[in-house]
Amino acid sequence: MQDQFLRRIDYLRISVTDRCNLRCKYCMPVDGIEWMPHDFILSFEEILRLMKISTQLGFRRFRITGGEPLVRKDILDFLREAAQLPGVEDLMLTTNGMLLPEMAFDLKAAGVQRVNISLDTMDRTRFFENTRGGDVSKVIQGIFRSLEAGLNPVKINVVVVRGFNTEELPSFLKLAKQYPLHVRFIELMPIGVSSEHRNEFVSIKDMKELLGLNEDDLPTKDIPGGGPAEYFRPSGYKGSIGFISALSRHFCDTCNRVRLTADGKLRPCLHSKHEVDLREVLRSGSSDQDILNVFAQAVWHKPAEHHMNNEAWQDTRVMSQIGG
Ligand code: SAM
Ligand code: SF4
């Protein structure tokens, strides 16, 4: 469907849990967050009902995220059902990759088409420290298992943080050169814990400089699900490199997505605190038509743009609760 600014909105990002097996420094506070009570979290039946309703509004692409989506019990059964819903053309997943070595083939068999895997550093110790306990070898193994399983494309999300991984960026170029991997460098967003670390922000312009990207390299449009990323495929590369800039050059005018939080709130904009409580509507015995009307209203009122560049901007949630 279209929103009031004539943007075509057909992409729903669904967080299926606020829980995670890691505690990334820019995403979660050191003591973690208080998990939501179980009955706050939408059941898979409720999520499938909302997906079905959203397809009637023209939603076609669905990304499952979290927290860490692969830690939720029975996730594979849910994905299998979600992939078979009429109208679902693209089912994707964003994961930290820790469980991919054993799950990549099952995901593909369940109907997931592609995965985005978060990997901010390939250094063992740095990864362990940044994720507060993660094992980078599992993630790297998971990336290659995903390629073997035929998930395509496999995209790697690298959040760039000054003083943490800036000097490592060129090694990520090698990854995209040697393998059919699409490495995307992402600007740190001031959400939750990260709002206190605005000085660690690196703009896309600075990233390109650090990478020595040649100005003659032209962006390519042939990466499926390109979305807000600007991709380059330098000659000789099996994969590509991309840049996602939410701050220095925001992409609000072409935004095509809304988000569903694990506790059933529809968030028309990642960076606006405004949410519509679909869980309440679902659990009050509403008909599909009533739910569709509330859903459509929320999408229609999607804000024109975000105000994250404003220093005073603060979210009430941390990123693991929204799903990225
Ligand atoms: N746990 C999964 C993962 O890490 O891929 C899925 C959820 S995570 C919240 C989704 C994405 O958001 C990850 O790629 C993560 O790096 C990114 N992210 C988290 N906090 C961020 C921030 N403050 N700025 C930019 N990206 C962030
Ligand atoms: Fe967990 Fe992903 Fe947040 Fe890291 S970025 S703490 S893996 S939800």
Side-chain angles (χ1 to χ4, degrees):
M1 67 171 281
Q2 280 190 336
D3 70 359
Q4 61 179 319
F5 303 106
L6 305 182
R7 292 173 294 196
R8 182 167 170 231
I9 315 293
D10 65 354
Y11 176 21
L12 180 59
R13 295 177 61 107
I14 303 172
S15 170
V16 293
T17 179
D18 61 332
R19 285 155 212 248
C20 188
N21 46 359
L22 296 180
R23 301 262 180 292
C24 300
K25 282 186 179 168
Y26 54 69
C27 181
M28 278 208 203
V30 62
D31 301 323
I33 50 165
E34 202 175 317
W35 304 133
M36 293 170 190
H38 264 299
D39 60 336
F40 276 36
I41 305 289
L42 291 189
S43 68
F44 282 142
E45 289 71 27
E46 288 171 322
I47 298 176
L48 288 164
R49 186 172 175 204
L50 288 177
M51 284 177 74
K52 220 187 269 178
I53 290 170
S54 74
T55 60
Q56 291 169 36
L57 292 170
F59 281 80
R60 293 288 173 264
R61 308 195 300 131
F62 297 85
R63 175 171 300 281
I64 308 305
T65 173
E68 175 47 43
L70 297 184
V71 300
R72 182 153 173 188
K73 192 167 162 274
D74 300 329
I75 184 75
L76 288 169
D77 294 334
F78 161 71
L79 291 168
R80 206 169 292 119
E81 283 194 54
Q84 282 165 12
L85 289 177
V88 173
E89 288 175 6
D90 212 352
L91 186 64
M92 312 165 260
L93 189 88
T94 297
T95 170
N96 62 32
M98 291 284 290
L99 295 171
L100 276 178
E102 55 264 39
M103 292 183 79
F105 276 75
D106 291 338
L107 289 171
K108 176 72 182 171
V112 172
Q113 277 135 314
R114 46 204 173 102
V115 283
N116 288 5
I117 304 168
S118 304
L119 177 70
D120 303 323
T121 171
M122 290 182 270
D123 179 271
R124 216 179 130 75
T125 314
R126 238 186 257 166
F127 186 89
F128 183 86
E129 281 173 15
N130 188 49
T131 58
R132 304 191 178 103
D135 178 354
V136 75
S137 64
K138 289 241 168 75
V139 183
I140 292 176
Q141 210 185 324
I143 291 172
F144 289 104
R145 286 292 280 174
S146 302
L147 287 175
E148 278 164 39
L151 291 160
N152 182 27
V154 175
K155 295 182 181 173
I156 310 295
N157 284 353
V158 185
V159 176
V160 180
V161 181
R162 190 173 299 284
F164 163 62
N165 59 0
T166 27
E167 67 191 41
E168 212 187 317
L169 300 194
S171 342
F172 282 100
L173 288 192
K174 284 192 199 146
L175 206 60
K177 185 167 187 183
Q178 289 175 0
Y179 303 99
L181 294 170
H182 305 282
V183 176
R184 295 127 43 94
F185 299 104
I186 300 174
E187 285 180 351
L188 181 67
M189 292 181 249
I191 291 188
V193 274
S194 294
S195 49
E196 291 146 33
H197 299 276
R198 283 180 188 257
N199 55 339
E200 289 167 14
F201 173 80
V202 183
S203 70
I204 297 294
K205 185 171 169 286
D206 289 349
M207 291 181 207
K208 286 182 177 171
E209 254 174 56
L210 282 165
L211 287 164
L213 195 73
N214 193 334
E215 281 301 314
D216 299 336
D217 283 325
L218 290 175
T220 175
K221 298 266 176 227
D222 66 346
I223 314 296
E230 180 194 27
Y231 286 99
F232 296 83
R233 199 196 285 276
S235 72
Y237 273 55
K238 290 195 174 144
S240 70
I241 49 173
F243 297 90
I244 302 185
S245 144
L247 263 83
S248 64
R249 195 178 60 79
H250 70 67
F251 37 81
C252 304
D253 54 342
T254 56
C255 187
N256 59 355
R257 61 202 61 193
V258 294
R259 290 169 165 81
L260 181 64
T261 64
D263 55 342
K265 310 285 161 47
L266 194 71
R267 248 197 182 226
C269 170
L270 169 61
H271 309 298
S272 158
K273 284 174 239 179
H274 174 67
E275 294 178 345
V276 173
D277 191 350
L278 287 183
R279 187 186 67 200
E280 173 63 27
V281 185
L282 271 169
R283 293 185 183 172
S284 60
S286 305
S287 67
D288 282 3
Q289 187 59 48
D290 291 341
I291 300 170
L292 184 140
N293 292 343
V294 176
F295 203 124
Q297 275 297 313
V299 176
W300 176 257
H301 289 293
K302 183 173 161 63
E305 59 181 31
H306 69 68
H307 301 283
M308 229 183 357
N309 284 318
N310 181 341
E311 292 271 329
W313 190 86
Q314 279 277 2
D315 205 324
T316 41
R317 290 184 186 258
V318 297
M319 197 65 134
S320 62
Q321 293 175 319
I322 311 170

